[in-house]
Amino acid sequence: MSSCQDLIDAEYRKFSSAAFASVMLTLICSVVRRSKWETYNQNPREGYMTMFGFAVIKIILGVLLATVFQVTCPSGCECMGQAHDYLYPGIVFAVSLYWTFLGMKYYLMSNDRSGEQGPSTEITTTTSVV
């Protein structure tokens, strides 16, 4: 049977692994956004789809960090002074809101350009009177 310290260390490793995954997602999103800057300005639809996708994944990670991966005292162990860490999940939510904001900017840019490109989407009908 594992000691309480081993169980607590496992809890911290679980949280740290999820936090590391969140940091890596932030780095990946940053690289993708910088490398596709011109593409997203020319094709804002691709920009908002990408940013909204990253934001959804980040929100899910934030929820998991605040709930499932939160460090708790294992049953049968006595833990004193162990506070929950909601600071990092809060930062994760803030980053996801920023990415949602960027997605909205691309979305609005896409709507502004939709009237300039391509044929009209109006459907015209003619009615003949007999």
Side-chain angles (χ1 to χ4, degrees):
M1 181 155 178
S2 298
S3 72
C4 283
Q5 188 60 46
D6 291 340
L7 295 173
I8 292 169
D9 289 345
E11 288 282 318
Y12 278 106
R13 278 193 304 276
K14 181 176 66 169
F15 182 84
S16 296
S17 296
F20 180 75
S22 177
V23 169
M24 292 308 298
L25 180 67
T26 302
L27 292 174
I28 291 168
C29 181
S30 178
V31 168
V32 167
R33 189 168 160 252
R34 288 183 198 279
S35 67
K36 297 260 192 176
W37 178 263
E38 289 183 27
T39 304
Y40 293 166
N41 283 330
Q42 293 171 357
N43 183 4
R45 183 180 189 280
E46 186 178 338
Y48 78 74
M49 296 292 283
T50 302
M51 295 312 297
F52 286 156
F54 277 121
V56 166
I57 294 169
K58 194 75 165 178
I59 289 169
I60 291 169
L61 274 172
V63 168
L64 290 175
L65 282 166
T67 57
V68 175
F69 294 120
Q70 193 59 238
V71 176
T72 58
C73 186
S75 62
C77 295
E78 191 174 310
C79 305
M80 293 188 288
Q82 187 177 23
H84 290 286
D85 180 16
Y86 293 112
L87 177 64
Y88 188 69
I91 292 169
V92 170
F93 285 121
V95 170
S96 69
L97 286 175
Y98 175 67
W99 290 352
T100 303
F101 170 75
L102 291 175
M104 281 303 298
K105 283 178 67 173
Y106 286 123
Y107 180 77
L108 294 173
M109 217 162 68
S110 171
N111 284 342
D112 288 346
R113 291 184 182 177
S114 66
E116 299 171 3
Q117 299 174 353
S120 172
T121 57
E122 279 186 27
I123 299 175
T124 57
T125 57
T126 56
T127 309
S128 60
V129 179
V130 182

